[in-house]
Amino acid sequence: GAVVSQHPSWVICKSGTSVKIECRSLDFQATTMFWYRQFPKQSLMLMATSNEGSKATYEQGVEKDKFLINHASLTLSTLTVTSAHPEDSSFYICSARDRKKGQETQYFGPGTRLLVL
Amino acid sequence: GEDVEQSLFLSVREGDSSVINCTYTDSSSTYLYWYKQEPGAGLQLLTYIFSNMDMKQDQRLTVLLNKKDKHLSLRIADTQTGDSAIYFCAERWAGRRALTFGSGTRLQVQP
């Protein structure tokens, strides 16, 4: 089946630093990728939709200057958490839609756990 | 806006059937999904159903959709300890490419 990877799988950083998380579709091309955030024991909340070659679309309440998204190729989207604070600590999960398949397919990465000290 | 609700917890004995329920509010949902999340891991797509279907079966999994009541269920036959996880239902509604997730149901399978 289709594989989506994320790197790193976990990261610990100091408050005020920036962290970049990569999301890659390994065996398919994805014009659209999605970034979700999951707090402990809670559901996934969509943060933004990443579009290849154009600006990301952010959900209401998500600061685009704090969560920078770049979708430079059909297989890679990056999420950069700028000036991270402890409240940014969370589990970040990306998903990708195979451009050659139907709207119903969306494959999720394994997630990146971020801890900001 | 859309809203997806699930019960938080379900406990069953190994070998029994598990039924996880989900309700949603948006009548324009096109696809409905079931995902499994094991501790510390990402989401694994179990199955999905198109909104014009009533039922879909895939090995031990049976999905039932009652579109009139906006109710979705996932039945796991012969539940095993390896099925212990959090199960999320999600919907994708017309005009939106991302998914809206329920709060997740923690399934505990007792030996």
Side-chain angles (χ1 to χ4, degrees):
Chain A
V3 178
V4 175
S5 71
Q6 283 184 238
H7 177 80
S9 55
W10 61 270
V11 56
I12 301 173
C13 69
K14 292 183 179 180
S15 187
T17 60
S18 294
V19 175
K20 180 186 284 188
I21 302 170
E22 294 183 348
C23 177
R24 292 182 186 273
S25 55
L26 297 184
D27 52 0
F28 64 97
Q29 293 182 329
T31 51
T32 305
M33 292 184 174
F34 304 94
W35 287 96
Y36 294 84
R37 184 174 180 177
Q38 184 181 31
F39 289 106
K41 298 185 179 180
Q42 294 188 28
S43 186
L44 281 74
M45 299 300 295
L46 179 68
M47 297 175 66
T49 301
S50 173
N51 305 298
E52 188 267 336
S54 64
K55 291 182 179 180
T57 306
Y58 290 82
E59 295 299 295
Q60 192 173 6
V62 178
E63 297 177 58
K64 62 180 181 180
D65 294 331
K66 180 168 182 62
F67 299 98
L68 300 178
I69 291 173
N70 186 294
H71 194 154
S73 77
L74 287 171
T75 58
L76 173 65
S77 174
T78 60
L79 168 69
T80 302
V81 183
T82 62
S83 187
H85 288 98
E87 57 265 31
D88 298 325
S89 299
S90 189
F91 194 48
Y92 293 87
I93 303 176
C94 73
S95 70
R97 190 174 72 83
D98 188 335
R99 68 186 298 212
K100 291 184 178 179
K101 293 190 176 179
Q103 292 283 344
E104 71 278 10
T105 57
Q106 197 170 124
Y107 303 102
F108 282 78
T112 297
R113 194 165 298 280
L114 171 63
L115 177 61
V116 184
L117 302 177
Chain B
E2 66 280 12
D3 192 18
V4 182
E5 295 187 357
Q6 299 177 238
S7 53
L8 292 180
F9 185 77
L10 175 66
S11 180
V12 300
R13 289 195 177 276
E14 191 173 17
D16 289 348
S17 292
S18 307
V19 179
I20 303 171
N21 295 302
C22 173
T23 58
Y24 59 98
T25 58
D26 200 302
S27 58
S28 67
S29 294
T30 53
Y31 289 97
L32 295 123
Y33 304 79
W34 283 104
Y35 284 88
K36 176 183 180 183
Q37 185 180 37
E38 297 187 68
L43 272 71
Q44 174 193 353
L45 176 64
L46 292 177
T47 186
Y48 64 89
I49 188 168
F50 189 47
S51 59
N52 68 353
M53 298 169 63
D54 298 324
M55 186 185 87
K56 181 178 181 181
Q57 188 162 359
D58 184 3
Q59 297 182 342
R60 293 192 297 125
L61 306 179
T62 303
V63 178
L64 295 178
L65 175 60
N66 182 327
K67 198 170 182 180
K68 174 176 172 289
D69 294 338
K70 300 190 181 72
H71 182 264
L72 181 74
S73 68
L74 173 70
R75 179 177 179 271
I76 305 173
D78 188 25
T79 313
Q80 303 296 308
T81 54
D83 295 325
S84 294
I86 299 176
Y87 290 80
F88 290 95
C89 69
E91 64 168 349
R92 192 180 77 81
W93 49 283
R96 184 172 167 88
R97 294 172 295 174
L99 303 185
T100 300
F101 285 84
S103 54
T105 299
R106 181 178 297 274
L107 174 64
Q108 182 181 69
V109 182
Q110 299 179 0

